Amino acid sequence: MANAGRTHEILTARRAGLVGCTTCGKVHPLDTRVCRRCGAALQSRDETSLQRVWAWLIAGLVAYIPANVYPMLITQTFGKRQESTIVGGVIELVHHGSWGVALIVFVASVVVPIGKFIAIAWLAISVRSRSAADGHTRQHVYEIVEFIGRWSMIDVFVVAILAALVQLDFVASVNPGTAAVSFALSVAFTMLSAQNFDPRLIWDAYEADDT
């Protein structure tokens, strides 16, 4: 009963008979079809949002698999070729005593991507469950996913910088592997998945109690 009482304290825009423009932010009466400021079409909810979220998320997951199977970095020293996957690179860094760098690479390349997959999938599933108690939790998770999205390319940036700096012909060279492209695509797809999520769906659970 405590949760039921708390749901009625939440006043959403749709409950108030309003709709906000997702382009410029101007608020209009609910029956308005076109934004009076920027001319964009108005929708109280994007009904196709979750379909796009799942499509981009699955694409990102598919691209993430070869990103971990194929080499991320290809190094050549005096003609000797060595290939390193993401996890293999982390292990090599640990063996060389670079614990801090290994931790950063592991978090940016393994923990963050997998965490984003789980978080976005949980958001997409939970907004259909109409669980009002999770409203604020969903909002916090969504904000975290949006925030960490900009840091997801750290591993690709490191590979690109190394490839640009270390090119000494036969003595030493560093080149990005196949996994670098797959990882970049995976990050891009998951960012698109998060951006296609309509955050207004988070608060629909509170309205469900009145129907």
Side-chain angles (χ1 to χ4, degrees):
M1 295 299 293
N3 287 339
R6 187 167 59 228
T7 61
H8 294 286
E9 297 174 6
I10 303 296
L11 179 63
T12 63
R14 187 158 66 176
R15 264 189 180 172
L18 301 170
V19 59
C21 176
T22 56
T23 302
C24 68
K26 183 175 176 60
V27 178
H28 304 76
L30 190 59
D31 58 352
T32 308
R33 298 303 177 191
V34 179
C35 178
R36 296 166 186 167
R37 176 187 290 168
C38 66
L42 297 178
Q43 285 183 296
S44 179
R45 297 293 185 270
D46 186 351
E47 300 298 334
T48 62
S49 170
L50 292 181
Q51 296 177 16
R52 296 195 302 273
V53 167
W54 281 113
W56 285 117
L57 185 64
I58 292 171
L61 185 59
V62 170
Y64 187 68
I65 295 173
N68 284 272
V69 174
Y70 292 101
M72 173 68 77
L73 200 64
I74 301 173
T75 59
Q76 288 189 1
T77 307
F78 295 107
K80 184 179 180 180
R81 178 186 175 98
Q82 182 177 357
E83 299 180 349
S84 300
T85 61
I86 293 175
V87 176
V90 171
I91 295 172
E92 285 293 323
L93 288 169
V94 171
H95 286 167
H96 286 84
S98 301
W99 291 88
V101 179
L103 180 61
I104 293 173
V105 173
F106 181 75
V107 171
S109 303
V110 179
V111 177
V112 170
I114 293 176
K116 284 185 67 176
F117 288 134
I118 295 172
I120 295 172
W122 180 80
L123 282 171
I125 294 171
S126 67
V127 294
R128 290 302 190 190
S129 69
R130 302 296 190 221
S131 176
D134 290 332
H136 289 89
T137 302
R138 291 190 204 122
Q139 185 65 35
H140 292 320
V141 170
Y142 176 73
E143 291 172 356
I144 291 172
V145 169
E146 284 285 286
F147 175 77
I148 64 177
R150 69 194 73 175
W151 303 104
S152 302
M153 282 286 199
I154 288 179
D155 208 39
V156 177
F157 290 155
V158 170
V159 172
I161 292 170
L162 286 174
L165 293 179
V166 185
Q167 294 296 336
L168 302 176
D169 296 329
F170 182 78
V171 178
S173 66
V174 177
N175 295 289
T178 307
V181 178
S182 298
F183 188 82
L185 287 174
S186 178
V187 171
F189 291 156
T190 51
M191 289 178 67
L192 286 169
S193 179
Q195 289 175 0
N196 276 279
F197 181 79
D198 187 352
R200 295 172 298 183
L201 296 171
I202 292 172
W203 303 103
D204 285 350
Y206 295 101
E207 298 177 5
D209 289 346
D210 292 339
T211 59

PDB file of all heavy atoms in Angstrom, residues 1-28:
ATOM      1  N   MET A   1       0.820  -1.202   0.000  1.00  0.00           N
ATOM      2  CA  MET A   1       0.000   0.000   0.000  1.00  0.00           C
ATOM      3  C   MET A   1       0.853   1.249   0.000  1.00  0.00           C
ATOM      4  O   MET A   1       0.472   2.292  -0.519  1.00  0.00           O
ATOM      5  CB  MET A   1      -0.922   0.006   1.227  1.00  0.00           C
ATOM      6  CG  MET A   1      -1.946  -1.111   1.235  1.00  0.00           C
ATOM      7  SD  MET A   1      -3.065  -1.017  -0.199  1.00  0.00           S
ATOM      8  CE  MET A   1      -3.935   0.485   0.194  1.00  0.00           C
ATOM      9  N   ALA A   2       2.040   1.140   0.636  1.00  0.00           N
ATOM     10  CA  ALA A   2       2.936   2.295   0.679  1.00  0.00           C
ATOM     11  C   ALA A   2       3.370   2.687  -0.720  1.00  0.00           C
ATOM     12  O   ALA A   2       3.436   3.857  -1.072  1.00  0.00           O
ATOM     13  CB  ALA A   2       4.162   1.979   1.552  1.00  0.00           C
ATOM     14  N   ASN A   3       3.658   1.686  -1.547  1.00  0.00           N
ATOM     15  CA  ASN A   3       4.067   1.969  -2.915  1.00  0.00           C
ATOM     16  C   ASN A   3       2.935   2.579  -3.718  1.00  0.00           C
ATOM     17  O   ASN A   3       3.140   3.481  -4.528  1.00  0.00           O
ATOM     18  CB  ASN A   3       4.552   0.696  -3.604  1.00  0.00           C
ATOM     19  CG  ASN A   3       5.905   0.247  -3.090  1.00  0.00           C
ATOM     20  OD1 ASN A   3       6.651   1.048  -2.534  1.00  0.00           O
ATOM     21  ND2 ASN A   3       6.204  -1.036  -3.276  1.00  0.00           N
ATOM     22  N   ALA A   4       1.708   2.065  -3.458  1.00  0.00           N
ATOM     23  CA  ALA A   4       0.560   2.589  -4.183  1.00  0.00           C
ATOM     24  C   ALA A   4       0.325   4.048  -3.844  1.00  0.00           C
ATOM     25  O   ALA A   4      -0.008   4.870  -4.691  1.00  0.00           O
ATOM     26  CB  ALA A   4      -0.687   1.759  -3.861  1.00  0.00           C
ATOM     27  N   GLY A   5       0.526   4.404  -2.562  1.00  0.00           N
ATOM     28  CA  GLY A   5       0.360   5.794  -2.162  1.00  0.00           C
ATOM     29  C   GLY A   5       1.401   6.682  -2.791  1.00  0.00           C
ATOM     30  O   GLY A   5       1.131   7.819  -3.159  1.00  0.00           O
ATOM     31  N   ARG A   6       2.624   6.165  -2.934  1.00  0.00           N
ATOM     32  CA  ARG A   6       3.699   6.971  -3.475  1.00  0.00           C
ATOM     33  C   ARG A   6       3.498   7.247  -4.962  1.00  0.00           C
ATOM     34  O   ARG A   6       3.896   8.290  -5.473  1.00  0.00           O
ATOM     35  CB  ARG A   6       5.041   6.262  -3.258  1.00  0.00           C
ATOM     36  CG  ARG A   6       6.221   7.125  -3.644  1.00  0.00           C
ATOM     37  CD  ARG A   6       7.523   6.521  -3.133  1.00  0.00           C
ATOM     38  NE  ARG A   6       7.761   5.190  -3.659  1.00  0.00           N
ATOM     39  CZ  ARG A   6       8.123   4.155  -2.904  1.00  0.00           C
ATOM     40  NH1 ARG A   6       8.268   4.285  -1.592  1.00  0.00           N
ATOM     41  NH2 ARG A   6       8.348   2.975  -3.442  1.00  0.00           N
ATOM     42  N   THR A   7       2.853   6.321  -5.680  1.00  0.00           N
ATOM     43  CA  THR A   7       2.678   6.516  -7.121  1.00  0.00           C
ATOM     44  C   THR A   7       1.822   7.734  -7.406  1.00  0.00           C
ATOM     45  O   THR A   7       2.028   8.391  -8.426  1.00  0.00           O
ATOM     46  CB  THR A   7       2.038   5.283  -7.764  1.00  0.00           C
ATOM     47  OG1 THR A   7       0.753   5.062  -7.194  1.00  0.00           O
ATOM     48  CG2 THR A   7       2.892   4.048  -7.540  1.00  0.00           C
ATOM     49  N   HIS A   8       0.848   8.066  -6.520  1.00  0.00           N
ATOM     50  CA  HIS A   8      -0.051   9.180  -6.772  1.00  0.00           C
ATOM     51  C   HIS A   8       0.619  10.515  -6.483  1.00  0.00           C
ATOM     52  O   HIS A   8       0.069  11.559  -6.784  1.00  0.00           O
ATOM     53  CB  HIS A   8      -1.326   9.033  -5.934  1.00  0.00           C
ATOM     54  CG  HIS A   8      -2.148   7.848  -6.357  1.00  0.00           C
ATOM     55  ND1 HIS A   8      -2.895   7.825  -7.509  1.00  0.00           N
ATOM     56  CD2 HIS A   8      -2.299   6.627  -5.785  1.00  0.00           C
ATOM     57  CE1 HIS A   8      -3.514   6.650  -7.625  1.00  0.00           C
ATOM     58  NE2 HIS A   8      -3.150   5.910  -6.594  1.00  0.00           N
ATOM     59  N   GLU A   9       1.810  10.497  -5.898  1.00  0.00           N
ATOM     60  CA  GLU A   9       2.536  11.729  -5.671  1.00  0.00           C
ATOM     61  C   GLU A   9       3.282  12.176  -6.923  1.00  0.00           C
ATOM     62  O   GLU A   9       3.757  13.306  -7.000  1.00  0.00           O
ATOM     63  CB  GLU A   9       3.531  11.532  -4.519  1.00  0.00           C
ATOM     64  CG  GLU A   9       2.871  11.208  -3.191  1.00  0.00           C
ATOM     65  CD  GLU A   9       3.903  10.876  -2.128  1.00  0.00           C
ATOM     66  OE1 GLU A   9       5.105  11.017  -2.413  1.00  0.00           O
ATOM     67  OE2 GLU A   9       3.503  10.492  -1.024  1.00  0.00           O
ATOM     68  N   ILE A  10       3.425  11.284  -7.918  1.00  0.00           N
ATOM     69  CA  ILE A  10       4.148  11.593  -9.130  1.00  0.00           C
ATOM     70  C   ILE A  10       3.192  12.166 -10.160  1.00  0.00           C
ATOM     71  O   ILE A  10       2.225  11.518 -10.561  1.00  0.00           O
ATOM     72  CB  ILE A  10       4.833  10.348  -9.708  1.00  0.00           C
ATOM     73  CG1 ILE A  10       5.767   9.738  -8.659  1.00  0.00           C
ATOM     74  CG2 ILE A  10       5.598  10.685 -10.975  1.00  0.00           C
ATOM     75  CD1 ILE A  10       6.916  10.633  -8.260  1.00  0.00           C
ATOM     76  N   LEU A  11       3.443  13.403 -10.588  1.00  0.00           N
ATOM     77  CA  LEU A  11       2.628  14.043 -11.612  1.00  0.00           C
ATOM     78  C   LEU A  11       3.437  14.094 -12.900  1.00  0.00           C
ATOM     79  O   LEU A  11       4.405  14.834 -13.016  1.00  0.00           O
ATOM     80  CB  LEU A  11       2.236  15.462 -11.193  1.00  0.00           C
ATOM     81  CG  LEU A  11       1.400  16.240 -12.219  1.00  0.00           C
ATOM     82  CD1 LEU A  11       0.057  15.546 -12.432  1.00  0.00           C
ATOM     83  CD2 LEU A  11       1.192  17.679 -11.754  1.00  0.00           C
ATOM     84  N   THR A  12       3.057  13.255 -13.864  1.00  0.00           N
ATOM     85  CA  THR A  12       3.741  13.248 -15.148  1.00  0.00           C
ATOM     86  C   THR A  12       3.118  14.281 -16.074  1.00  0.00           C
ATOM     87  O   THR A  12       2.005  14.758 -15.838  1.00  0.00           O
ATOM     88  CB  THR A  12       3.657  11.855 -15.797  1.00  0.00           C
ATOM     89  OG1 THR A  12       2.274  11.551 -16.061  1.00  0.00           O
ATOM     90  CG2 THR A  12       4.247  10.791 -14.886  1.00  0.00           C
ATOM     91  N   ALA A  13       3.825  14.612 -17.150  1.00  0.00           N
ATOM     92  CA  ALA A  13       3.318  15.595 -18.106  1.00  0.00           C
ATOM     93  C   ALA A  13       2.026  15.103 -18.758  1.00  0.00           C
ATOM     94  O   ALA A  13       1.081  15.887 -18.940  1.00  0.00           O
ATOM     95  CB  ALA A  13       4.373  15.876 -19.174  1.00  0.00           C
ATOM     96  N   ARG A  14       1.973  13.815 -19.063  1.00  0.00           N
ATOM     97  CA  ARG A  14       0.774  13.289 -19.715  1.00  0.00           C
ATOM     98  C   ARG A  14      -0.414  13.335 -18.770  1.00  0.00           C
ATOM     99  O   ARG A  14      -1.540  13.616 -19.196  1.00  0.00           O
ATOM    100  CB  ARG A  14       1.032  11.867 -20.217  1.00  0.00           C
ATOM    101  CG  ARG A  14      -0.129  11.324 -21.046  1.00  0.00           C
ATOM    102  CD  ARG A  14       0.297  10.193 -21.955  1.00  0.00           C
ATOM    103  NE  ARG A  14       0.708   9.008 -21.213  1.00  0.00           N
ATOM    104  CZ  ARG A  14       1.047   7.860 -21.830  1.00  0.00           C
ATOM    105  NH1 ARG A  14       1.044   7.783 -23.152  1.00  0.00           N
ATOM    106  NH2 ARG A  14       1.413   6.818 -21.123  1.00  0.00           N
ATOM    107  N   ARG A  15      -0.181  13.070 -17.489  1.00  0.00           N
ATOM    108  CA  ARG A  15      -1.264  13.193 -16.508  1.00  0.00           C
ATOM    109  C   ARG A  15      -1.774  14.619 -16.421  1.00  0.00           C
ATOM    110  O   ARG A  15      -2.957  14.869 -16.207  1.00  0.00           O
ATOM    111  CB  ARG A  15      -0.762  12.770 -15.132  1.00  0.00           C
ATOM    112  CG  ARG A  15      -1.064  11.332 -14.772  1.00  0.00           C
ATOM    113  CD  ARG A  15      -0.718  11.103 -13.334  1.00  0.00           C
ATOM    114  NE  ARG A  15      -0.981   9.746 -12.954  1.00  0.00           N
ATOM    115  CZ  ARG A  15      -0.623   9.220 -11.792  1.00  0.00           C
ATOM    116  NH1 ARG A  15       0.046   9.957 -10.931  1.00  0.00           N
ATOM    117  NH2 ARG A  15      -0.891   7.966 -11.505  1.00  0.00           N
ATOM    118  N   ALA A  16      -0.846  15.565 -16.577  1.00  0.00           N
ATOM    119  CA  ALA A  16      -1.217  16.977 -16.498  1.00  0.00           C
ATOM    120  C   ALA A  16      -1.807  17.498 -17.804  1.00  0.00           C
ATOM    121  O   ALA A  16      -2.131  18.680 -17.918  1.00  0.00           O
ATOM    122  CB  ALA A  16       0.007  17.810 -16.121  1.00  0.00           C
ATOM    123  N   GLY A  17      -1.919  16.611 -18.809  1.00  0.00           N
ATOM    124  CA  GLY A  17      -2.481  17.020 -20.088  1.00  0.00           C
ATOM    125  C   GLY A  17      -1.510  17.801 -20.940  1.00  0.00           C
ATOM    126  O   GLY A  17      -1.920  18.677 -21.711  1.00  0.00           O
ATOM    127  N   LEU A  18      -0.215  17.467 -20.820  1.00  0.00           N
ATOM    128  CA  LEU A  18       0.815  18.199 -21.549  1.00  0.00           C
ATOM    129  C   LEU A  18       1.690  17.233 -22.336  1.00  0.00           C
ATOM    130  O   LEU A  18       1.786  16.053 -21.999  1.00  0.00           O
ATOM    131  CB  LEU A  18       1.684  19.015 -20.589  1.00  0.00           C
ATOM    132  CG  LEU A  18       0.980  20.052 -19.720  1.00  0.00           C
ATOM    133  CD1 LEU A  18       1.931  20.600 -18.665  1.00  0.00           C
ATOM    134  CD2 LEU A  18       0.418  21.183 -20.579  1.00  0.00           C
ATOM    135  N   VAL A  19       2.337  17.757 -23.362  1.00  0.00           N
ATOM    136  CA  VAL A  19       3.311  16.993 -24.135  1.00  0.00           C
ATOM    137  C   VAL A  19       4.485  17.913 -24.444  1.00  0.00           C
ATOM    138  O   VAL A  19       4.302  19.068 -24.812  1.00  0.00           O
ATOM    139  CB  VAL A  19       2.692  16.430 -25.445  1.00  0.00           C
ATOM    140  CG1 VAL A  19       2.147  17.536 -26.334  1.00  0.00           C
ATOM    141  CG2 VAL A  19       3.730  15.591 -26.196  1.00  0.00           C
ATOM    142  N   GLY A  20       5.700  17.385 -24.254  1.00  0.00           N
ATOM    143  CA  GLY A  20       6.897  18.182 -24.494  1.00  0.00           C
ATOM    144  C   GLY A  20       7.527  17.838 -25.832  1.00  0.00           C
ATOM    145  O   GLY A  20       7.517  16.683 -26.263  1.00  0.00           O
ATOM    146  N   CYS A  21       8.076  18.844 -26.489  1.00  0.00           N
ATOM    147  CA  CYS A  21       8.769  18.631 -27.751  1.00  0.00           C
ATOM    148  C   CYS A  21      10.152  18.058 -27.447  1.00  0.00           C
ATOM    149  O   CYS A  21      10.918  18.657 -26.684  1.00  0.00           O
ATOM    150  CB  CYS A  21       8.893  19.946 -28.527  1.00  0.00           C
ATOM    151  SG  CYS A  21       9.835  19.799 -30.056  1.00  0.00           S
ATOM    152  N   THR A  22      10.483  16.941 -28.046  1.00  0.00           N
ATOM    153  CA  THR A  22      11.785  16.315 -27.801  1.00  0.00           C
ATOM    154  C   THR A  22      12.909  17.021 -28.548  1.00  0.00           C
ATOM    155  O   THR A  22      14.080  16.745 -28.312  1.00  0.00           O
ATOM    156  CB  THR A  22      11.751  14.838 -28.221  1.00  0.00           C
ATOM    157  OG1 THR A  22      11.356  14.742 -29.600  1.00  0.00           O
ATOM    158  CG2 THR A  22      10.780  14.051 -27.359  1.00  0.00           C
ATOM    159  N   THR A  23      12.560  17.941 -29.440  1.00  0.00           N
ATOM    160  CA  THR A  23      13.570  18.675 -30.204  1.00  0.00           C
ATOM    161  C   THR A  23      13.997  19.955 -29.501  1.00  0.00           C
ATOM    162  O   THR A  23      15.191  20.199 -29.300  1.00  0.00           O
ATOM    163  CB  THR A  23      13.049  19.021 -31.613  1.00  0.00           C
ATOM    164  OG1 THR A  23      12.681  17.811 -32.283  1.00  0.00           O
ATOM    165  CG2 THR A  23      14.119  19.747 -32.420  1.00  0.00           C
ATOM    166  N   CYS A  24      13.029  20.782 -29.101  1.00  0.00           N
ATOM    167  CA  CYS A  24      13.370  22.072 -28.485  1.00  0.00           C
ATOM    168  C   CYS A  24      12.951  22.177 -27.033  1.00  0.00           C
ATOM    169  O   CYS A  24      13.358  23.107 -26.336  1.00  0.00           O
ATOM    170  CB  CYS A  24      12.752  23.225 -29.282  1.00  0.00           C
ATOM    171  SG  CYS A  24      10.941  23.294 -29.190  1.00  0.00           S
ATOM    172  N   GLY A  25      12.111  21.246 -26.561  1.00  0.00           N
ATOM    173  CA  GLY A  25      11.725  21.238 -25.158  1.00  0.00           C
ATOM    174  C   GLY A  25      10.480  22.015 -24.808  1.00  0.00           C
ATOM    175  O   GLY A  25      10.053  22.008 -23.650  1.00  0.00           O
ATOM    176  N   LYS A  26       9.873  22.704 -25.750  1.00  0.00           N
ATOM    177  CA  LYS A  26       8.675  23.494 -25.450  1.00  0.00           C
ATOM    178  C   LYS A  26       7.505  22.579 -25.100  1.00  0.00           C
ATOM    179  O   LYS A  26       7.301  21.537 -25.731  1.00  0.00           O
ATOM    180  CB  LYS A  26       8.305  24.377 -26.652  1.00  0.00           C
ATOM    181  CG  LYS A  26       7.103  25.297 -26.388  1.00  0.00           C
ATOM    182  CD  LYS A  26       6.863  26.224 -27.559  1.00  0.00           C
ATOM    183  CE  LYS A  26       5.608  27.067 -27.345  1.00  0.00           C
ATOM    184  NZ  LYS A  26       5.710  27.911 -26.113  1.00  0.00           N
ATOM    185  N   VAL A  27       6.731  22.967 -24.102  1.00  0.00           N
ATOM    186  CA  VAL A  27       5.597  22.169 -23.630  1.00  0.00           C
ATOM    187  C   VAL A  27       4.308  22.693 -24.250  1.00  0.00           C
ATOM    188  O   VAL A  27       4.084  23.905 -24.322  1.00  0.00           O
ATOM    189  CB  VAL A  27       5.510  22.219 -22.089  1.00  0.00           C
ATOM    190  CG1 VAL A  27       4.299  21.438 -21.606  1.00  0.00           C
ATOM    191  CG2 VAL A  27       6.783  21.664 -21.475  1.00  0.00           C
ATOM    192  N   HIS A  28       3.446  21.748 -24.687  1.00  0.00           N
ATOM    193  CA  HIS A  28       2.192  22.095 -25.346  1.00  0.00           C
ATOM    194  C   HIS A  28       1.049  21.295 -24.723  1.00  0.00           C
ATOM    195  O   HIS A  28       1.293  20.292 -24.036  1.00  0.00           O
ATOM    196  CB  HIS A  28       2.245  21.776 -26.843  1.00  0.00           C
ATOM    197  CG  HIS A  28       3.373  22.417 -27.580  1.00  0.00           C
ATOM    198  ND1 HIS A  28       4.673  21.971 -27.499  1.00  0.00           N
ATOM    199  CD2 HIS A  28       3.386  23.472 -28.436  1.00  0.00           C
ATOM    200  CE1 HIS A  28       5.446  22.721 -28.265  1.00  0.00           C
ATOM    201  NE2 HIS A  28       4.699  23.637 -28.839  1.00  0.00           N
TER     202      HIS A  28
END
